């Protein structure tokens, strides 16, 4: 069973970096997206995305969905 999880990593100057944690056929891959947000939106308390972060967050979610479709088609 394949999974693609959107995760964040705290960085010093830009807030949080977005990356995909991909698990497929017993192997784990990390794909850094070079997208940044000011809050960790993977935490339920931060579910309301700020206007400044909306474009980056929406793009990251679209890439996540695309990767999941690609993995499931192969």
């Amino acid at each position: 069973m394949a999974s693609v999880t959107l995760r964040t990593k705290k960085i010093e100057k830009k807030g949080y970096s977005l990356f995909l944690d991909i698990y497929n056929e017993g192997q784990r891959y990390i794909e850094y997206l070079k997208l940044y947000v000011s809050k960790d939106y993977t935490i339920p308390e931060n579910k309301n995305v700020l206007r400044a972060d909306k474009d980056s967050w929406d793009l990251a979610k679209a890439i996540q969905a695309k990767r999941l479709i690609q993995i499931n088609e192969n």
Side-chain angles (χ1 to χ4, degrees), residues 6 11 17 21 28 30 34 48 50 55-56 60 62-63 73:
L6 181 60
I11 54 177
S17 173
D21 187 2
R28 184 176 177 202
I30 293 177
K34 297 182 183 176
N48 295 328
L50 297 175
D55 290 338
S56 295
I63 294 170
E73 285 180 348

Side-chain angles (χ1 to χ4, degrees), residues 1-17:
M1 179 88 184
S3 70
V4 179
T5 306
L6 181 60
R7 298 195 189 277
T8 60
K9 180 179 179 180
K10 179 77 172 150
I11 54 177
E12 290 182 26
K13 297 182 181 182
K14 293 186 182 179
Y16 292 86
S17 173

